[in-house]
Amino acid sequence: MSSPEIASLSWGQMKVKGCSTTYKDCKVWPGGSRTWDWRETGTNHSPGVQPADLEEVVKKGVKTVVIGRGMSEALQVPASTVDYLKKHGIDVLVLQTEKAVAEYNALAAQGVKVGGVFHSTC
């Protein structure tokens, strides 16, 4: 099962190839995607992305996770979240969202089992 391509990204909108939903923030993994609803885990820009935000993606057997911090990189990623991924043997890339999407799509095109969480605004 391959990771779906992110077909488009603009401020506040993301489209994943093969999915009719337009996301504001999204999670992607080999074979799927869904809305990333920060309310599920109480996530805010600070302290930022929590291990709980990534559990679902980790359970899909990914080898790499790409985290998009937003267009202006307002979303924080604490060291504890990076450590959580590394403890599971997962490579992690933390980038501005446009760069994160480009990197994610490049890895997906190479057949890497890549997942990601992407914030499409600030």
Side-chain angles (χ1 to χ4, degrees):
M1 187 137 331
S2 61
S3 298
E5 176 188 346
I6 295 173
S8 67
L9 167 68
S10 59
W11 184 274
Q13 295 189 329
M14 296 183 71
K15 296 284 285 177
V16 175
K17 194 171 185 176
C19 179
S20 60
T21 305
T22 299
Y23 300 114
K24 176 179 173 252
D25 299 321
C26 76
K27 296 181 178 189
V28 290
W29 58 81
S33 65
R34 78 169 181 94
T35 294
W36 178 18
D37 182 351
W38 291 15
R39 292 172 295 190
E40 292 173 358
T41 57
T43 294
N44 286 296
H45 286 104
S46 180
V49 183
Q50 302 168 58
D53 293 309
L54 299 167
E55 284 175 2
E56 179 179 16
V57 175
V58 167
K59 287 177 183 171
K60 303 295 184 180
V62 296
K63 300 294 178 216
T64 302
V65 168
V66 181
I67 300 173
R69 294 189 49 212
M71 299 301 209
S72 303
E73 298 185 88
L75 179 60
Q76 302 299 304
V77 181
S80 58
T81 298
V82 173
D83 291 344
Y84 164 79
L85 291 167
K86 289 185 176 178
K87 282 180 188 161
H88 282 83
I90 296 169
D91 294 327
V92 59
L93 297 166
V94 178
L95 300 163
Q96 185 267 355
T97 296
E98 290 161 309
K99 292 176 180 154
V101 165
E103 190 64 32
Y104 167 88
N105 279 342
L107 290 166
Q110 294 166 25
V112 174
K113 287 188 79 167
V114 61
V117 294
F118 301 97
H119 179 44
S120 73
T121 58
C122 44

